[in-house]
């Protein structure tokens, strides 16, 4: 064992001396490995970060949730033969739908009804367009509960039809840039509401901002939350739309209804049963069902495909690096033919020659792999700093890239090593 370690140490020292003797050539040879390992780690980190953001957004909807939204059905074009249509169009979910689902599926834990009304919020001289969401207190466990300040809606707010409002964090920043919003009164339409809480916005706290928070785009919509009973009484159930000088009225009782299944295994069958139940009472398909669990599974599958594609593209750089190692090792064999002849004449076997050249190839890929890891860690951090994109460096990707770099050195170093070992000692000694 001691002799083996001594021989190994000696071979490694000789390999390092050969690499140091030709510093520039060795570095240029390692560039392929460096960029290959760095690109594998960097691309997988960027892909993992993008996939993580998408999966977290889906998870925020709740893996055991079933989200039902009202959707305006397509016009059938039939009319009454005079090209006229009814001024009032009723569609979407109804309160009786929520009651029926509660009766038919008693094991469903939570129902979250919600109404959405477009309005404007005013405080002092500040005014901005908002999406008023009328909802219930138990919406809290499903993503609405991360409060930056104050509280969410409670049972008394709903029971007493209180004029209270919970602001999204971006809306609070726009309406109350300097003052604390809690306890202040603002106007939604013509009604005054007291601010009792501010809902946290993770994207805003990271400094990335939100689409709603970018002025000048003409599409800034901020979310605020009021009791569903207040939404129904203050805003009614009829929505007035004005388009191109014409006016239409739409009646929607509930814009959204969220159900929570007892377990993830029951989510998909429950969604199918709920769809069947609603289709029995709705003449048109004026609703859509979203199952976050299915979206999450699709996102996981997309992530795996994305990683394979990115990894395959980045692995091409490692292939190029391996070819570079083979070229330099073949050049080494030619340059050191006389050295090989002398070693063979002094008693070195073909195995010794193979080990020596294979060790040098492995050292080149080893050093290139270490430098590539440093590059692979630096690139995602730079992308995060400059572009604000989320990147996640996985230890598995570092281990994978480094292992491939070592395997590349071995695979592309075998042929030059075998070729060196097959040189005839007599011919090698006569080589100039």
């Amino acid at each position: 064992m001691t002799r083996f370690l001594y021989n190994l140490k000696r071979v490694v020292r000789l390999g390092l001396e050969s690499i140091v003797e030709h510093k520039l050539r060795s570095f240029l040879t390692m560039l392929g490995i460096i960029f290959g390992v760095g690109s594998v780690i960097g691309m997988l980190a960027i892909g993992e970060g993008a996939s993580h953001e998408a999966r977290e957004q889906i998870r925020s909807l709740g893996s055991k949730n079933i989200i039902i939204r009202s959707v305006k059905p397509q016009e059938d074009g039939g009319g009454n033969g005079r090209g006229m249509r009814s001024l009032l169009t009723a569609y979407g979910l109804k309160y009786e739908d929520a009651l029926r689902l509660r009766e038919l599926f008693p094991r469903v834990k939570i129902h979250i009804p919600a109404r959405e009304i477009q309005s404007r919020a005013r405080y002092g001289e500040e005014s901005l367009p908002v999406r008023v969401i009328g909802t219930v207190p138990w919406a809290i466990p499903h993503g609405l509960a991360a409060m930056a300040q104050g509280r969410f809606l409670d049972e008394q707010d709903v029971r007493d039809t209180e004029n209270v409002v919970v602001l999204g964090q971006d809306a609070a920043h726009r309406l109350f840039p300097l003052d604390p919003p809690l306890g202040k009164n603002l106007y939604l339409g013509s009604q005054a509401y007291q601010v009792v809480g501010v809902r946290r916005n993770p994207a805003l706290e990271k400094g990335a901002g939100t689409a709603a928070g970018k002025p000048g785009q003409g599409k800034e919509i901020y979310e605020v939350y009021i009791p569903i009973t207040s939404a129904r009484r203050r805003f009614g159930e009829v929505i007035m739309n004005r388009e191109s000088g014409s006016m239409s009225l739409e009646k929607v009782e509930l814009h959204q209804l969220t159900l929570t299944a007892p377990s993830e295994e029951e989510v998909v069958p429950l969604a199918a049963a709920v769809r069947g139940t609603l289709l029995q009472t709705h003449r048109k398909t004026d609703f859509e069902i979203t199952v976050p669990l299915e979206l999450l599974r699709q996102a996981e599958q997309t992530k795996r495909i994305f990683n394979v594609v990115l990894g395959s593209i980045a692995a091409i750089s490692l292939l190029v690096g391996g070819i570079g190692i083979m070229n330099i090792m073949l050049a080494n064999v030619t340059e050191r033919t006389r050295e090989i002849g002398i070693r063979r004449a002094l008693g070195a076997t073909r195995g010794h020659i193979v080990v020596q050249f294979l060790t040098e190839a492995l050292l080149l890929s080893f050093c290139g792999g270490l430098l590539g890891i440093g590059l692979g860690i630096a690139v995602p951090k730079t992308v995060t700093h400059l572009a604000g994109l989320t990147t996640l460096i996985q230890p598995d990707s570092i281990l994978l890239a480094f292992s491939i770099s070592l395997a590349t050195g071995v695979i592309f170093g075998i042929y030059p090593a075998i070729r060196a070992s097959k040189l005839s000692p007599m011919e090698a000694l006569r080589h100039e």
Side-chain angles (χ1 to χ4, degrees):
M1 186 67 179
T2 304
R3 183 169 182 80
F4 171 77
L5 293 176
Y6 171 78
N7 290 335
L8 179 62
K9 182 178 179 181
R10 181 170 174 273
V11 169
V12 171
R13 179 173 55 81
L14 290 174
L16 288 174
E17 289 177 354
S18 176
I19 293 174
V20 172
E21 187 177 351
H22 304 90
K23 297 183 184 67
L24 180 60
R25 185 171 69 181
S26 299
F27 177 73
L28 294 176
T29 302
M30 289 187 292
L31 276 180
I33 298 294
I34 294 172
F35 288 125
V37 172
S39 60
V40 169
I41 297 173
M43 293 181 74
L44 290 179
I46 294 172
E48 180 66 26
S51 177
H52 176 77
E53 286 287 311
R55 296 197 306 275
E56 285 303 309
Q57 290 179 6
I58 295 173
R59 284 195 181 97
S60 68
L61 299 176
S63 61
K64 295 194 294 185
N65 285 354
I66 300 169
I67 302 171
I68 314 169
R69 291 190 61 85
S70 296
V71 177
K72 186 176 182 180
Q74 296 292 329
E75 297 292 337
D76 55 17
N80 57 10
R82 294 177 296 175
M84 298 293 291
R85 64 178 182 178
S86 174
L87 185 63
L88 177 62
T89 303
Y91 66 89
L93 299 169
K94 299 178 174 59
Y95 293 103
E96 63 184 32
D97 290 328
L99 295 175
R100 183 179 296 108
L101 293 175
R102 185 184 289 272
E103 292 174 0
L104 293 177
F105 305 100
R107 297 185 65 237
V108 173
K109 294 182 180 178
I110 301 175
H111 300 263
I112 306 175
R115 282 184 48 75
E116 295 180 5
I117 306 101
Q118 302 299 325
S119 184
R120 293 195 70 86
R122 291 181 293 110
Y123 177 75
E125 297 182 357
E126 293 290 337
S127 175
L128 64 154
V130 293
R131 180 185 296 113
V132 180
I133 300 176
T135 187
V136 290
W138 52 86
I140 290 180
H142 302 281
L144 304 181
M147 304 300 295
Q149 301 178 45
R151 62 173 177 84
F152 198 68
L153 307 173
D154 60 26
E155 296 283 355
Q156 185 175 349
D157 295 333
V158 175
R159 185 173 58 252
D160 297 342
T161 318
E162 296 286 356
N163 278 19
V164 294
V165 62
V166 175
L167 303 178
Q169 201 168 7
D170 47 0
H173 284 184
R174 285 293 303 274
L175 289 171
F176 303 93
L178 301 176
D179 300 330
L182 296 185
K184 299 292 194 304
N185 290 324
L186 58 80
Y187 281 87
L188 296 177
S190 60
Q191 295 285 332
Y193 290 78
Q194 184 181 37
V195 179
V196 295
V198 176
R199 184 176 71 91
R200 178 172 287 112
N201 185 335
L204 192 66
E205 292 185 345
K206 290 179 182 177
T210 61
K214 297 178 181 178
Q217 294 181 344
K219 297 182 180 179
E220 308 95 314
I221 299 293
Y222 302 83
E223 290 186 347
V224 300
Y225 306 88
I226 65 175
I228 191 169
T229 50
S230 301
R232 188 178 185 183
R233 178 174 296 181
R234 309 287 185 251
F235 292 93
E237 295 173 349
V238 177
I239 302 171
M240 181 183 299
N241 294 321
R242 297 179 182 272
E243 296 180 0
S244 303
S246 63
M247 182 183 70
S248 64
L249 300 176
E250 298 177 356
K251 181 179 179 181
V252 182
E253 294 185 14
L254 288 175
H255 288 87
Q256 180 173 308
L257 183 66
T258 302
L259 314 180
T260 301
S263 64
E264 290 188 358
E265 291 74 18
E266 298 180 62
V267 170
V268 176
L270 178 61
V274 168
R275 179 183 295 276
T277 300
L278 293 176
L279 287 175
Q280 293 177 5
T281 56
H282 289 248
R283 291 181 298 174
K284 294 183 179 180
T285 306
D286 53 1
F287 62 90
E288 63 179 8
I289 296 180
T290 302
V291 182
L293 181 63
E294 290 183 338
L295 298 178
L296 186 60
R297 290 172 179 171
Q298 293 174 6
E300 293 287 350
Q301 179 65 22
T302 303
K303 171 200 167 187
R304 287 191 288 269
I305 297 174
F306 195 52
N307 284 347
V308 169
V309 172
L310 288 179
S312 300
I313 294 174
I316 295 175
S317 299
L318 286 173
L319 178 63
V320 173
I323 295 173
I325 288 178
M326 178 181 285
N327 287 337
I328 198 65
M329 294 309 298
L330 288 173
N332 279 346
V333 171
T334 303
E335 289 180 359
R336 297 162 62 183
T337 301
R338 187 173 179 81
E339 174 193 331
I340 294 170
I342 294 174
R343 291 197 63 190
R344 291 295 304 279
L346 292 176
T349 64
R350 285 186 174 182
H352 291 150
I353 301 300
V354 169
V355 170
Q356 178 186 347
F357 279 87
L358 198 57
T359 300
E360 291 182 17
L362 192 59
L363 286 172
L364 284 172
S365 61
F366 179 83
C367 295
L370 290 180
L371 294 174
I373 290 175
L375 177 65
I377 294 175
V379 167
K381 292 185 179 297
T382 303
V383 169
T384 300
H385 178 71
L386 297 180
L389 298 177
T390 300
T391 57
L392 291 176
I393 301 175
Q394 298 292 328
D396 292 346
S397 65
I398 295 177
L399 181 61
L400 174 65
F402 188 66
S403 300
I404 293 177
S405 71
L406 294 182
T408 300
V410 173
I411 294 171
F412 286 92
I414 287 177
Y415 175 71
I418 293 177
R419 181 173 175 179
S421 68
K422 289 183 177 180
L423 289 175
S424 170
M426 296 302 296
E427 294 180 2
L429 287 171
R430 288 198 299 268
H431 182 78
E432 294 294 337

